[in-house]
Amino acid sequence: MAPTLSPEQVATIKATVPVLAAYGETITRQFYKNMLAANPSLKSIFNHTHQATGHQPRALAGSLFAYASNIDDLGKLSPAVELICHKHASLYVQPDQYKIVGKHLLETMKEVLGDAATPEIMEAWGVAYWQLAEIMIGKEAGMYEETHGWTDWKDFKIVRKENESIEITSFYLEPVDASLKLPLFKPGQYISVQMFVDELEGGVWQARQYSLSDAPGKNYLRISVKREEGVEIGDSKSMTHPGYLSNILHDVKQVGDVVRVSHPFGDFFFDEKERDKDAPVALISAGVGLTCLTSILNKLAAENSTRPISWIHVARNSGTRAFKSHIDGLVASNKRIQTILFDSEPSVDEVQGQDYNIEGRLDLDKISSDVLFTKNDKAQYFVCGPTQFMLDVEAKLKSFGVVGERVKMELFGTGGVPRI
């Protein structure tokens, strides 16, 4: 067990907050460079694109700053720690890897800060690192136990590819090992999909998280992946694009091909046991953010839920909107479901009132309170889309009197949703 921070060490950590504000990203960029050079096997865990673009060093720098700022009240970091632990578990991060990270992080802090990193500061940060590491190792151990033995990557075969829009394709995945029992994941959660990328130096396994887009209880796991424009497989300039692996799925992987899959994880989900069974649910999304919400909607529809449900979505137009006919079918069979569709750039052949409801970006001011359930203090809101979209939706809901704990948001990629 790691030693506990003394009051003096807490004060020392707090005193380094301005230093982290000034040098945090310099430290984390050099840290990743040093650690991955010395431990190339870890390249399979860390996202190559996020390394190349600087997204991951920035996220880690932000995390260190937040940790130091709240070292005397770690409860404030619980949501962020929960999110990170789910990400780690989906990549099968192991306790020994925390030792490697800690070694190189502390060495890099000393390297960058030089004499300013006094023995007292380094000792305090060593204790602080292992205080957080042991919390996360414990949480992740509990998550691995809940997988009932699915504690490593499993081979899954692509058994079906289906175009959902001009940008989004669904991949139906079934385990190669027919004896593997698929878990009853919580709707809204994701899996990691791992593929070998020959184009990276020496060839490297890379993983990405994709939301499960269908209800649990099927004989397959379904992900629905957006193709990002401007990516050419094999082009070195494209390899740092955030959609590189999604384009491999679209262009290279075919029915019959095998990919590696993690157990489902994720702290964004709908849990019937935690919700008032009569409480309305509003599912609000932009673009490909609808994938995790489709899982929630399909689950509720399969159970013939009697709770009021609003499906509110914005896409550029009908060509880019996935699952339109499927959701229309759910609405036709369940009168408790209502939809409001925004088109930010309607195509010339679309008909308002038929293909979509409202032109323009998603604007909650244009939706009645009956559809938004803002007069019901039990209503739950699940929001997914670009970061700023989610923050704007949250702020607008708060202006309508919705308390923050009734709004849950998902963020794809590294880090978490910044709080207002």
Side-chain angles (χ1 to χ4, degrees), residues 115-321:
D115 292 342
T118 65
E120 292 78 15
I121 288 176
M122 296 310 301
E123 182 181 3
W125 265 104
V127 175
Y129 172 81
W130 278 107
Q131 175 180 269
L132 181 60
E134 289 201 346
I135 292 172
M136 298 176 77
I137 289 169
K139 281 183 172 290
E140 289 156 21
M143 292 176 185
Y144 294 142
E145 287 182 9
E146 292 175 1
T147 68
H148 303 290
W150 185 345
T151 56
D152 202 351
W153 299 100
K154 300 290 186 183
D155 287 340
F156 273 64
K157 183 182 293 185
I158 300 171
V159 297
R160 181 178 167 194
K161 286 179 69 171
E162 183 172 313
N163 293 332
E164 306 290 359
S165 74
I166 62 174
E167 296 178 335
I168 298 173
T169 296
S170 286
F171 297 81
Y172 292 74
L173 308 173
E174 293 183 3
V176 171
D177 179 359
S179 67
L180 179 66
K181 184 178 180 181
L182 296 184
L184 289 174
F185 60 88
K186 296 174 181 177
Q189 291 187 307
Y190 57 78
I191 56 174
S192 284
V193 176
Q194 190 185 58
M195 296 173 281
F196 193 76
V197 182
D198 296 289
E199 292 89 349
L200 292 174
E201 184 179 356
V204 176
W205 288 96
Q206 286 282 279
R208 300 291 185 270
Q209 284 85 35
Y210 296 110
S211 290
L212 292 159
S213 62
D214 204 350
K218 313 285 187 179
N219 63 353
Y220 57 79
L221 298 176
R222 187 180 78 174
I223 57 174
S224 301
V225 180
K226 180 185 177 184
R227 174 200 293 277
E228 298 290 348
E229 296 180 358
V231 175
E232 183 176 339
I233 302 303
D235 178 8
S236 60
K237 293 181 180 179
S238 294
M239 291 172 65
T240 58
H241 192 287
Y244 191 77
L245 260 66
S246 68
N247 276 264
I248 291 178
L249 279 171
H250 276 263
D251 294 337
V252 179
K253 297 300 182 182
Q254 303 299 330
V255 171
D257 288 342
V258 173
V259 295
R260 290 178 173 180
V261 170
S262 77
H263 189 280
F265 290 100
D267 66 335
F268 176 90
F269 54 79
F270 180 90
D271 190 343
E272 189 76 46
K273 292 182 292 186
E274 298 177 2
R275 311 291 173 186
D276 189 303
K277 292 187 181 297
D278 297 322
V281 173
L283 305 172
I284 306 172
S285 61
V288 73
L290 55 61
T291 53
C292 52
L293 303 190
T294 302
S295 178
I296 296 173
L297 182 64
N298 285 359
K299 170 67 171 176
L300 293 172
E303 295 174 341
N304 295 316
S305 174
T306 58
R307 69 173 74 234
I309 303 167
S310 287
W311 175 267
I312 302 167
H313 180 253
V314 61
R316 289 202 309 277
N317 50 53
S318 294
T320 62
R321 176 173 288 114

Side-chain angles (χ1 to χ4, degrees), residues 25-40 42-43 46 51-52 56-57 60 104-105 108 111:
E25 193 172 338
T26 302
I27 292 169
T28 55
R29 282 183 181 274
Q30 189 63 37
F31 153 72
Y32 281 117
K33 181 180 178 181
N34 293 349
M35 182 181 66
L36 294 176
N39 301 272
L42 292 182
K43 291 180 180 179
F46 293 99
Q51 291 294 316
Q56 200 149 32
L60 178 57
H104 286 280
L105 181 59
T108 307
E111 175 187 343

Side-chain angles (χ1 to χ4, degrees), residues 18 45 71 74 80 180 254 366 403:
I45 291 178
I71 195 70
L74 294 182
L180 179 66
Q254 303 299 330
K366 296 180 179 180
V403 294

Side-chain angles (χ1 to χ4, degrees), residues 66-96:
Y67 183 45
S69 300
N70 295 281
I71 195 70
D72 51 356
D73 188 7
L74 294 182
K76 292 181 179 178
L77 300 180
S78 293
V81 169
E82 189 75 12
L83 181 147
I84 293 169
C85 287
H86 276 276
K87 297 280 187 180
H88 283 182
S90 79
L91 297 169
Y92 297 112
V93 169
Q94 298 300 312
D96 283 348

Side-chain angles (χ1 to χ4, degrees), residues 8-20 68-69 71 121 125:
E8 293 77 16
Q9 288 174 326
V10 169
T12 297
I13 295 295
K14 294 280 283 187
T16 63
V17 169
V19 176
L20 291 174
S69 300
I71 195 70
I121 288 176
W125 265 104

